[in-house]
Amino acid sequence: MAIARIALPVAVYGEFDYWVPSGLSLVEGSLVRVRLAHRARVGVVVGLADVSEIETSRLQPVTEVVAGFAPLPADLLAVARFVAGYYHEPLGQVLAQMLPPLDREAGPRRHATPLAGPLTLTAEGLAELPQRLARSPRLAALFASWRAAEDSVIAEHELRALPSHVRAALRGWLAAGWIEPAPDVPPAPAPHEPNPEQAQAAAAIVAAQGRFAPFLLQGVTGSGKTAVYLAAAAAAVAGGAQVLLLVPEINLTPQFERRVKDALPGRSVVTLHSGLAAGLRRRHWQAAAMGAADVVLGTRLAAFAPLPRLGLVVVDEEHDPSYKQQDLVRYHGRDVAVWRARLRGVPVVLGTATPALETLLHAQQRRYDWLVLSRRAVPEARSPQVVLADDRTAPANEGLADALVAAIGQRLTRGEQSLVFVNRRGFAPSLLCSSCGWQAGCPQCSARLVVHRDAGELRCHHCGHRARLPRSCPDCGNVDLFPLGHGTQRLEAALAARFPTARIARVDRDSTRREGAFAAIREQVHAGEIDVMVGTQMLAKGHDFPRLTLVGVLGADNALASADFRATERFGALLFQVAGRAGRAGLPGEVIVQTRYPDHPLFAALARNDYDGFAAALMEERRAAGLPPFARLALLGAEAPERAAVERFLAAAQQRGLAIVREQELDVEVFPPVPSALARRAGQERGQVLARSASRGALQRFLARWREDLDALPARGVRFALDVDPAGFS
Ligand SMILES: [Zn+2]
Ligand SMILES: [Zn+2]
């Protein structure tokens, strides 16, 4: 009897045996439907055999092969096995991460691609739509005027003016691939001739075609890294290869997609990210798998796209924290991309202005080729001037330093744009009673509730808990409650009060929740209809605002004082990025940072535009503390409704860990359990045990054994997960 070993997306290690009905032809990598515990599941065949250890009468048959899907290629199965082994997760879970939503019943519930302008008709749409609209005069008229419009583009404000049933129809068009996001910026000026550095970098990458060659491409914001990627990609595609291009976030940066398409005319560029409608994501995935797509542009999940002719891998903004997945399989998209390039023997380019310390160390130790773009591609663009506003000596007015207020005033007079960056949404991070000191806390979490004044609510940003804004203190009855600290909403209000005629836009997750809202704001900013933007890190990602000459940074001290060892690195990278946004098109830029630590070396480095100096100082701290990239970490996180249960489980886990280290004489430390930084979340008590080693191999041997033992520990009501190479301590 033919037996198929099938990996299924369940939290159980090992594969499941099914018998293969005659007439069903399966190979390794086939996608199949089976039943498991009375539920239909999609799995992947990872082995074929003649016998099973399970009694034949107890085996179930494979129900069917998933129609229309070729088997996964061998190299992708190899990547899946490697990822499952490295992160100590079941193979079936890893494979489920790789696949687009297939399962009618169990597919992930993704929100559809937002209907946001500007949109343009695709070639497919131009061909398909005319015959489908015969019976819908309203849509036919829209289509006709759209096709006649310049560039066949419909803008966000036109889109919003359409009646809802037309918008509903357009959502269908978007899902079908008949329309797609259009450039939201005026067409870029003709690309500059590559400067010698850019030409050299591209030539080095092209020369490495056909072998594994990792590159760090380091270049300040505006130095033209994208032009280097695109030159290398064009060469690879011209040679018949497929290119995998990873970016941290696609929805926020549609202009990047446009640039890729413009640089590769006549080539097929498809996107892969979780925001795509299921049908579209399946089609793009298949286009990649069939070799029809020349370029796959996507977020971390695209690191697993099937690419039979893969010839080049590019990871843009390789330092970005969003490459690390924080649940299920906790993989790092950049690391997976490098492994893929190694397994396939192709070059991989990691591009950034602010390399992650891990990547920088590889480059310093010459495991990666280090390409540097030291000058800005637009020659007249200069690095911005950095000014520190000392929050100790100059008490800020409604959170804003006098120097920042004055600088914004100047920009308004000159008709230039300003950006105020603060990484806190809401009105104020907490609500305080002036009489007894009570602060509003979340009943489910060890966290303060955030004041959302517009909604008249207190909200928890960890679990979503909401409560009405109280009129008086629940402890002492005092009615004098005041909001403590400054979120984006409060700063927006303060700026509006100070500059009543300024046009101010707030950009954060609350203000952009509505479909198309972010695109609308971006359109206004580019049209010069916005003077001041207030927002969170959404504003830091890859936007080029031509009249922006001032960036104000608030809340810097939260990152600098954080207990998380990566907080300073992340904040530093963000700061260099936002600073790079100021003064890009020949207008001189200025960055004003408010801080109580003006002597922090980060700011001196920022003023010199010296990321390398900043990174070198951080690197020394990490070396001294025995932290990554000089050590490997794994974090065992556990949670349960009762603190005692978490503590019991983690204590037993540490004891098991110590025993393994002794038995196997491994160079691994296993630290005592501690509460997580957020000790309670959504009613769950949380804690963690850290394992550390200077050797990746030793840590991996340890984890393989520990993981098995953890499954055998009594863990009543305790949920736990291993995080290899954690993004931080949370
Ligand atoms: Zn009180
Ligand atoms: Zn909460």
Side-chain angles (χ1 to χ4, degrees):
M1 180 186 273
I3 306 293
R5 302 247 135 88
I6 296 172
L8 291 169
V10 290
V12 176
Y13 289 82
E15 285 76 55
F16 297 80
D17 284 4
Y18 288 82
W19 60 270
V20 185
S22 59
L24 215 55
S25 97
L26 297 182
V27 295
E28 271 199 34
S30 291
L31 271 52
V32 293
R33 285 185 213 282
V34 296
R35 295 196 75 76
L36 179 74
H38 308 293
R39 267 190 70 188
R41 296 277 195 172
V42 169
V44 178
V45 176
V46 294
L48 293 159
D50 300 325
V51 286
S52 172
E53 285 173 13
I54 315 272
E55 216 178 291
T56 320
S57 61
R58 295 179 52 210
L59 288 180
Q60 296 200 61
V62 173
T63 315
E64 61 175 350
V65 176
V66 178
F69 276 86
L72 294 182
D75 78 303
L76 211 53
L77 283 179
V79 169
R81 287 201 172 92
F82 186 84
V83 167
Y86 185 81
Y87 293 105
H88 302 275
E89 291 292 343
L91 181 59
Q93 299 273 48
V94 174
L95 286 163
Q97 296 284 302
M98 295 184 161
L99 300 173
L102 299 167
D103 222 351
R104 284 178 300 268
E105 316 93 296
R109 288 171 302 281
R110 301 290 188 194
H111 48 90
T113 305
L115 185 70
L119 292 166
T120 185
L121 292 156
T122 62
E124 216 178 339
L126 287 166
E128 285 280 327
L129 280 169
Q131 55 226 18
R132 290 170 188 264
L133 299 177
R135 270 186 283 168
S136 172
R138 171 92 214 213
L139 286 172
L142 175 71
F143 173 75
S145 71
W146 196 343
R147 189 172 47 182
E150 197 186 336
D151 295 339
S152 308
V153 166
I154 183 167
E156 174 63 24
H157 64 270
E158 297 170 292
L159 202 58
R160 273 188 296 165
L162 294 170
S164 63
H165 71 277
V166 174
R167 290 170 57 89
L170 290 185
R171 254 181 224 111
W173 294 13
L174 194 61
W178 294 332
I179 54 180
E180 63 180 8
D184 66 334
V185 284
H192 296 262
E193 276 296 299
N195 65 34
E197 280 181 339
Q198 286 174 307
Q200 226 171 7
I205 299 163
V206 171
Q209 268 178 28
R211 63 184 165 88
F212 173 61
F215 294 93
L216 165 59
L217 176 63
Q218 186 181 358
V220 296
T221 308
S223 63
K225 290 184 292 293
T226 307
V228 175
Y229 308 147
L230 294 179
V237 169
Q242 286 176 298
V243 176
L244 174 62
L245 180 44
L246 299 186
V247 291
E249 174 75 68
I250 285 187
N251 286 334
L252 296 183
T253 55
Q255 63 268 55
F256 190 84
E257 180 180 347
R258 173 54 47 182
R259 242 189 112 179
V260 175
K261 287 180 171 166
D262 286 350
L264 299 164
R267 300 297 186 169
S268 158
V269 178
V270 301
T271 54
L272 276 180
H273 56 94
S274 61
L276 282 181
L280 198 56
R281 192 164 143 202
R282 266 200 300 276
R283 269 209 300 286
H284 287 183
W285 193 88
Q286 281 174 304
M290 308 304 281
D294 297 303
V295 177
V296 171
L297 170 63
T299 52
R300 62 172 184 255
L301 61 85
F304 295 116
L307 294 156
R309 295 182 283 111
L310 180 63
L312 173 68
V313 180
V314 176
V315 183
D316 187 34
E317 308 291 356
E318 63 87 26
H319 66 280
D320 196 286
S322 66
Y323 281 119
K324 171 81 173 173
Q325 176 146 304
Q326 301 289 359
D327 58 0
L328 296 170
V329 182
R330 292 167 163 77
Y331 68 91
H332 199 297
R334 173 196 63 215
D335 297 346
V336 173
V338 174
W339 293 329
R340 277 202 86 174
R342 185 192 300 272
L343 284 170
R344 288 291 290 266
V346 301
V348 54
V349 181
L350 309 182
T352 177
T354 54
L357 295 190
E358 279 79 0
T359 306
L360 197 58
L361 189 65
H362 283 313
Q364 287 167 352
Q365 297 177 341
R366 293 171 185 256
R367 282 193 294 270
Y368 290 2
D369 259 321
W370 198 349
L371 308 172
V372 176
L373 304 178
S374 59
R375 63 194 105 167
R376 293 190 169 202
V378 183
E380 67 270 24
R382 276 173 293 153
S383 297
Q385 193 198 347
V386 176
V387 176
L388 297 176
D390 191 335
D391 267 1
R392 294 169 308 184
T393 54
N397 167 23
E398 267 296 292
L400 296 162
D402 293 344
L404 181 55
V405 172
I408 293 172
Q410 285 170 4
R411 295 323 187 275
L412 289 170
T413 318
R414 297 207 296 254
E416 295 168 10
Q417 292 169 321
S418 310
L419 184 161
V420 178
F421 173 81
V422 60
N423 222 355
R424 287 225 153 126
R425 64 192 172 88
F427 185 78
S430 113
L431 186 68
L432 178 75
C433 169
S434 59
S435 168
C436 75
W438 168 87
Q439 272 186 282
C442 177
Q444 305 286 321
C445 308
S446 53
R448 305 267 179 238
L449 290 174
V450 177
V451 181
H452 282 252
R453 207 175 57 170
D454 298 359
E457 279 184 345
L458 292 169
R459 288 183 194 164
C460 176
H461 286 185
H462 299 284
C463 73
H465 173 85
R466 291 171 176 216
R468 297 300 306 166
L469 208 52
R471 295 185 189 285
S472 60
C473 172
D475 277 8
C476 74
N478 168 31
V479 294
D480 203 10
L481 301 177
F482 68 91
L484 199 64
H486 297 86
T488 46
Q489 291 176 11
R490 190 174 190 175
L491 291 168
E492 181 190 22
L495 286 164
R498 184 70 183 69
F499 301 111
T501 59
R503 297 161 301 175
I504 300 170
R506 176 164 58 88
V507 179
D508 58 27
R509 243 190 313 140
D510 300 311
S511 75
T512 57
R513 188 155 289 151
R514 196 175 44 76
E515 198 176 309
F518 188 58
I521 294 173
R522 211 167 39 214
E523 221 173 72
Q524 285 180 295
V525 171
H526 279 293
E529 293 163 9
I530 299 291
D531 303 310
V532 185
M533 287 164 277
V534 182
T536 57
Q537 62 195 8
M538 284 180 84
L539 279 173
K541 296 207 174 185
H543 309 297
D544 189 359
F545 300 128
R547 301 218 36 96
L548 179 70
T549 60
L550 173 67
V551 174
V553 178
L554 280 68
D557 298 348
N558 297 325
L560 299 180
S562 167
D564 183 350
F565 74 94
R566 283 192 215 266
T568 306
E569 177 185 351
R570 275 199 299 263
F571 180 70
L574 201 59
L575 199 52
F576 275 90
Q577 298 269 316
V578 287
R581 303 272 165 253
R584 294 190 60 178
L587 296 167
E590 187 179 12
V591 177
I592 298 181
V593 185
Q594 295 185 206
T595 178
R596 279 174 285 123
Y597 311 115
D599 299 329
H600 195 285
L602 168 58
F603 301 126
L606 185 70
R608 297 192 308 270
N609 195 21
D610 175 18
Y611 180 79
D612 292 355
F614 165 65
L618 272 186
M619 207 72 112
E620 271 323 299
E621 278 179 35
R622 299 276 185 87
R623 191 197 298 276
L627 286 168
F630 301 99
R632 297 280 172 168
L633 305 181
L635 207 53
L636 170 66
E639 60 178 39
E642 301 294 328
R643 170 65 43 194
V646 175
E647 283 171 0
R648 257 197 317 277
F649 173 80
L650 288 175
Q654 190 214 7
Q655 289 309 315
R656 266 319 301 154
L658 291 172
I660 294 167
V661 168
R662 270 195 311 273
E663 285 158 22
Q664 306 199 5
E665 296 179 7
L666 292 169
D667 176 20
V668 174
E669 294 166 281
V670 187
F671 291 88
V674 291
S676 304
L678 189 65
R680 206 155 76 95
R681 185 174 68 192
Q684 299 283 316
E685 301 289 340
R686 307 166 75 233
Q688 59 197 32
V689 166
L690 177 69
R692 168 170 83 171
S693 175
S695 149
R696 184 208 293 224
L699 186 63
Q700 281 294 327
R701 277 196 298 284
F702 167 76
L703 291 175
R705 182 63 200 288
W706 200 33
R707 173 81 236 198
E708 276 179 25
D709 288 4
L710 292 175
D711 283 332
L713 284 179
R716 292 189 137 227
V718 178
R719 289 191 306 171
F720 65 90
L722 260 186
D723 190 354
V724 181
D725 304 332
F729 295 153
S730 56

